[in-house]
Amino acid sequence: DYLSGFAIDVLGAQVVLRSSALWAELFREELTTALGQLGWARCALRWQRDAGSLLQDGYEHHFGCAPEADASLTDAREETIVRELGIRYFVSPGLGKKTGHFADQRENRGRLRDMAASMCSSRPAGGPPLEVLDLFCYTE
């Protein structure tokens, strides 16, 4: 969260790199090399572009064309299981909004889990089931 316009989410053995700023596209090769040097070369690196933000940032003026989806996102890929706070999530890295999983919402999902557990433990036996509205889910 300290690099405006660039996000990295590690989702299982896949790493999704999301660029929404021109600087990230200009230094794409250097970013990929640096991640490889950090040991992420064994992971599948999947670049994702936020076309709307990149257009506002001058992508078309600089590169002479509109930003396109990266080939690494259009390749067939399998669903990945991400374990977070003891819960398994089935995600498709690089698809949908953001990187395929809102990893930055981990703490909120943990708070909700703890709150629901507390509510369940204080319910009288035989009472109605607890109902929860999932506000953290997004699918296409």
Side-chain angles (χ1 to χ4, degrees), residues 4-82:
S4 179
F6 185 64
I8 303 172
D9 277 348
V10 180
L11 305 172
Q14 299 187 46
V15 178
V16 181
L17 307 129
R18 180 175 171 84
S19 67
S20 58
L22 183 60
W23 75 264
E25 292 293 320
L26 293 173
F27 291 96
R28 184 176 172 141
E29 186 176 324
E30 291 84 351
L31 289 166
T32 302
T33 300
L35 291 172
Q37 291 171 349
L38 290 172
W40 289 0
R42 67 186 183 285
C43 298
L45 298 180
R46 306 212 177 268
W47 280 87
Q48 183 185 50
R49 292 184 173 117
D50 180 342
S53 295
L54 289 170
L55 284 171
Q56 288 179 341
D57 218 13
Y59 184 99
E60 195 168 17
H61 177 74
H62 186 80
F63 289 104
C65 62
E68 296 178 5
D70 194 284
S72 67
L73 289 175
T74 57
D75 294 344
R77 82 200 91 124
E78 71 264 2
E79 196 171 61
T80 298
I81 296 175
V82 174

